[in-house]
Amino acid sequence: MITNLFKTAFRYLSRHISFTIINVLGLTAGIAAFLLIALYLQYELSFDKHIPEYNHLYRLTGIQEPSGLDNQHVAITSGGWAPYLNENIPEVKEAFRIMGAASTLQIDDQSFQERVFFAEGKIVSLFGLETNGGISPTGLLGMPNTAMISMAAAERIFKTRDAIGMTFRHNNIPYTITGVY
């Protein structure tokens, strides 16, 4: 029975080739569009799930109004906003500052181009970074000229996962590594 249906469908489709091509192309385009939209949604909804209480985390953005252009929403704001938010808005539990930059790190006579982030110590507990070294998460970046480094960067730069206590120079300022995450 089913083979008869397939034979009939094949004969019909082979006689009406333009109709067949239009239908197959339409079906292919529809499936491809569905898959692309599904992949895009999965990608967009996968961010920040590794951060504890990610649904309570917000990013402050500024609106720039350049002449002759539309308003631009940028995530670069002045550093004074964090203390202001902590002091004047009771709904804000914690506010911290973070700034990223591409930079050159110097270790002895070697130089490494790395992406570095300058942040306050609260970032360790708020982002849920798992660290080694036995220091409390809030004390890792509590002192001036201290730094944390990822395990991958520690292996790449220092050739060891345990880089605690090692130093590097950034703009001729020595930084001591207090934690590896």
Side-chain angles (χ1 to χ4, degrees), residues 4-176:
N4 190 24
L5 290 174
F6 278 121
K7 285 181 186 179
T8 307
F10 179 74
R11 285 181 193 143
Y12 179 79
L13 294 175
S14 62
R15 285 187 196 133
H16 302 91
I17 196 74
S18 60
F19 173 75
T20 302
I21 290 173
I22 290 171
N23 279 335
V24 169
L25 287 177
L27 180 65
T28 305
I31 291 172
F34 169 77
L35 290 175
L36 287 174
I37 291 170
L39 287 172
Y40 175 75
L41 285 174
Q42 178 196 16
Y43 175 75
E44 287 295 323
L45 296 174
S46 68
F47 285 102
D48 300 334
K49 301 288 184 185
H50 63 283
I51 299 173
E53 298 187 30
Y54 65 91
N55 53 342
H56 296 287
L57 191 65
Y58 296 92
R59 185 176 190 176
L60 186 65
T61 61
I63 299 174
Q64 293 180 349
E65 300 173 350
S67 61
L69 297 173
D70 291 336
N71 290 348
Q72 298 175 351
H73 296 262
V74 294
I76 300 171
T77 57
S78 67
W81 277 107
Y84 177 81
L85 293 172
N86 281 328
E87 294 169 6
N88 297 316
I89 301 178
E91 290 83 9
V92 173
K93 292 180 184 175
E94 294 275 351
F96 65 93
R97 298 171 279 201
I98 184 170
M99 182 180 76
S103 187
T104 303
L105 304 180
Q106 298 165 335
I107 301 164
D108 298 328
D109 59 344
Q110 294 180 323
S111 295
F112 297 91
Q113 290 286 20
E114 294 291 328
R115 179 108 172 118
V116 296
F117 290 91
F118 299 93
E120 296 174 314
K122 301 174 197 173
I123 193 170
V124 179
S125 58
L126 291 175
F127 276 15
L129 297 176
E130 294 181 16
T131 60
N132 60 5
I135 300 174
S136 70
T138 54
L140 286 170
L141 297 174
M143 298 295 294
N145 299 343
T146 57
M148 289 183 57
I149 190 169
S150 69
M151 236 180 245
E155 287 178 354
R156 185 174 61 251
I157 296 172
F158 295 106
K159 310 293 187 242
T160 180
R161 285 183 159 198
D162 186 24
I164 296 174
M166 296 185 176
T167 60
F168 64 88
R169 298 182 77 73
H170 177 263
N171 292 340
N172 285 329
I173 300 171
Y175 288 85
T176 303

